[in-house]
Amino acid sequence: MRRLDVKIVLTLIVTVLVPLGFSVYLVAKAIDTSLGLGLNADLAAQLQRALDIHRRHIEETKSGLHRRFDGLVDSHTLVRAIETGERETLENALEQLVARDPALIGLRLEGTAAAALEVKAAAPLPDPLRTLPLSRDIDIGPFRLLVATYAV
């Protein structure tokens, strides 16, 4: 009977463990192949390039908004409206400045409690993903700070 037991054990090993080992090898090779197809060197380089382009675009957009804000701060319309001291004239000037720039969500002048004034865009962008608030000390009349909020 001992010979028969050895034959049965060998038959079980050959019929069970060899196909199992071979199937594990094939699955591991298939997973390596599929991962290699999903993210190879060319695709990784293209993704990095796209990320660099996006980063440059964001920086250029921010730079452009800073330049637009500098122009807004130096605006003769704004300075004259503040110097008149009339709240209605100032509000109209701020509304005109906001209406000229489609990315401008709102303008706020801060100073004394009585001098604070804020104007928002008549038709703001529908739920912008990000906003960029920019501020500058102006020190004109009762106002000390100009804050502009841009949609990015």
Side-chain angles (χ1 to χ4, degrees), residues 7-46:
K7 285 182 181 180
I8 291 175
V9 169
L10 285 176
T11 304
L12 284 174
I13 288 174
V14 168
T15 59
V16 174
L17 293 180
V18 169
L20 180 65
F22 189 66
S23 64
V24 167
Y25 168 76
L26 287 178
V27 167
K29 188 169 178 154
I31 289 174
D32 286 344
T33 301
S34 67
L35 287 176
L37 292 175
L39 184 63
N40 54 32
D42 291 338
L43 182 60
Q46 289 176 2

Side-chain angles (χ1 to χ4, degrees), residues 71-138:
L72 190 71
V73 170
D74 297 333
S75 167
H76 295 295
T77 306
L78 179 64
V79 173
R80 279 189 303 236
I82 292 173
E83 287 174 346
T84 63
E86 296 178 19
R87 191 170 181 86
E88 187 175 322
T89 305
L90 182 54
E91 245 179 83
N92 289 338
L94 290 178
E95 287 171 359
Q96 288 174 5
L97 291 170
V98 168
R100 282 186 211 157
D101 192 343
L104 190 56
I105 296 173
L107 275 176
R108 187 173 68 243
L109 284 168
E110 296 178 1
T112 62
L117 179 63
E118 183 171 12
V119 173
K120 295 195 180 260
L125 296 175
D127 200 24
L129 295 176
R130 302 219 189 282
T131 58
L132 178 66
L134 301 174
S135 62
R136 176 87 46 83
D137 293 329
I138 56 172

